[in-house]
Amino acid sequence: MSILSEPAHLVDPHAERIGETSGVRTYLARVEQSIADGRDRPWDKMYGKTGIGIMLSGWCEYRSQTGHVTGVPGTIFFGNQDEHFTGRYLGAPGIRRLAIWYDNDFLEKIADACGIDHPRFSVAALPPGKPAYGIFRDMLALIVGSGDVEYIASSLAETALLFGRESKSSPRISDRDRKRILSAVRHIDSGFFESCSVDALAAITGFSRYHFMRLFKAVTGQSANQYVIATRLRAAAVRIAETKVPVSDIAFDVGFNDISHFNTYFRAAFACSPRQLRNRYRS
């Protein structure tokens, strides 16, 4: 079978599901890696789920209803639910691949937000290169459950759905829609210390959840969650520099519920710890 769904005689019995945190499981049906023996027996199968896979080692010939490619390490493969495909490995032992299978309901919502009638990928594969690297980076983020998981899952799905289609640019924003998004921005700026969930922000604008997520990124350059975190960090940095209030109190006051998460985000944003920032301003 292909990179996305191996037949029983090719799958290592120790193939494993990885990265299934509660957050990832909400958006993805399965995340898995597996190893094949590299024998060149052909296969002819059908996908049971829609998924994205990457070849980590080995080579294969792959043909689906959307195209025909020779897969090499770094090739990204796209498979649609109920799509027939054929192929064979090209004799390389230790074939390794990583695959992400999307939950159908989630994928349908992303397609709808992108103005796509059917949540199906229009290309069979993407060769190694910068776009493929970006997809691999997002796949790894989902596997470990790091960052804004929902945004990464939806952004990855959007990117894959738009490959091979006419519209690959950011969505056009009308003045009216921009004002609606900015109403959510104003809400965050004035109430960042309280809960700012995506659902609540979408409700303010009147957009559906995933349409809101897409437009918010187009307007601000960040996902809604990233914007909330950045706003909280800026507010925290000012208070840390200007006051003697304990750092932990400041972290909770600006909206963080976990001091370790706050410290991690703060270091990533300012390249120093909160205490180091305070000491610099005191000196």
Side-chain angles (χ1 to χ4, degrees):
M1 205 177 223
S2 86
I3 200 85
L4 292 178
S5 183
E6 298 299 335
H9 69 275
L10 287 180
V11 178
D12 180 3
H14 298 296
E16 58 182 322
R17 297 181 182 183
I18 53 181
E20 290 193 288
T21 65
S22 59
V24 172
R25 194 179 297 117
T26 304
Y27 318 114
L28 306 177
R30 187 170 72 253
V31 180
E32 65 185 12
Q33 63 179 353
S34 53
I35 302 173
D37 60 14
R39 288 176 284 180
D40 60 359
R41 291 169 293 190
W43 63 80
D44 185 353
K45 295 288 182 176
M46 183 176 72
Y47 289 118
K49 282 282 188 180
T50 298
I52 302 172
I54 183 170
M55 174 106 39
L56 299 178
S57 65
W59 310 276
C60 73
E61 289 182 356
Y62 173 77
R63 185 186 300 273
S64 72
Q65 294 169 246
T66 53
H68 174 217
V69 298
T70 298
V72 298
T75 299
I76 302 290
F77 295 83
F78 303 103
N80 295 300
Q81 183 177 17
D82 300 329
E83 178 181 20
H84 288 276
F85 59 98
T86 61
R88 67 185 180 93
Y89 289 115
L90 301 177
I95 306 285
R96 296 181 60 239
R97 65 244 154 217
L98 185 67
I100 287 176
W101 301 90
Y102 270 101
D103 175 78
N104 291 334
D105 290 340
F106 177 75
L107 201 61
E108 287 178 357
K109 292 174 182 177
I110 301 304
D112 181 67
C114 294
I116 298 173
D117 292 334
H118 303 289
R120 296 182 66 81
F121 304 133
S122 59
V123 297
L126 184 67
K130 188 173 181 179
Y133 174 79
I135 288 178
F136 182 44
R137 176 201 61 212
D138 289 346
M139 291 175 69
L140 291 177
L142 291 176
I143 288 164
V144 299
S146 65
D148 187 347
V149 176
E150 181 181 14
Y151 176 74
I152 294 171
S154 60
S155 179
L156 177 59
E158 177 180 341
T159 297
L161 287 168
L162 290 176
F163 272 123
R165 299 178 187 271
E166 292 183 2
S167 176
K168 295 184 180 180
S169 59
S170 298
R172 293 183 178 180
I173 310 295
S174 68
D175 289 342
R176 180 172 179 271
D177 287 350
R178 189 182 304 275
K179 290 179 181 178
R180 293 166 70 181
I181 292 297
L182 290 177
S183 68
V185 172
R186 286 193 295 272
H187 178 82
I188 295 170
D189 290 344
S190 62
F192 59 85
F193 44 85
E194 299 177 344
S195 175
C196 295
S197 69
V198 172
D199 284 333
L201 294 172
I204 290 172
T205 65
F207 291 122
S208 68
R209 179 184 181 88
Y210 298 107
H211 194 49
F212 165 77
M213 292 171 63
R214 190 165 186 254
L215 292 180
F216 192 96
K217 174 64 180 290
V219 171
T220 68
Q222 293 180 300
S223 73
N225 284 333
Q226 289 171 335
Y227 189 89
V228 170
I229 291 172
T231 304
R232 289 172 175 172
L233 288 173
R234 288 194 301 271
V238 170
R239 290 192 63 189
I240 289 170
E242 294 181 347
T243 74
K244 296 182 179 180
V245 176
V247 170
S248 58
D249 290 350
I250 292 175
F252 292 127
D253 287 345
V254 300
F256 285 93
N257 297 319
D258 188 306
I259 190 65
S260 64
H261 287 169
F262 169 74
N263 286 328
T264 298
Y265 283 122
F266 195 95
R267 284 181 178 275
F270 298 106
C272 66
S273 71
R275 296 189 186 282
Q276 287 172 329
L277 180 71
R278 173 168 281 172
N279 291 336
R280 290 177 186 175
Y281 275 85
R282 286 182 177 179
S283 64

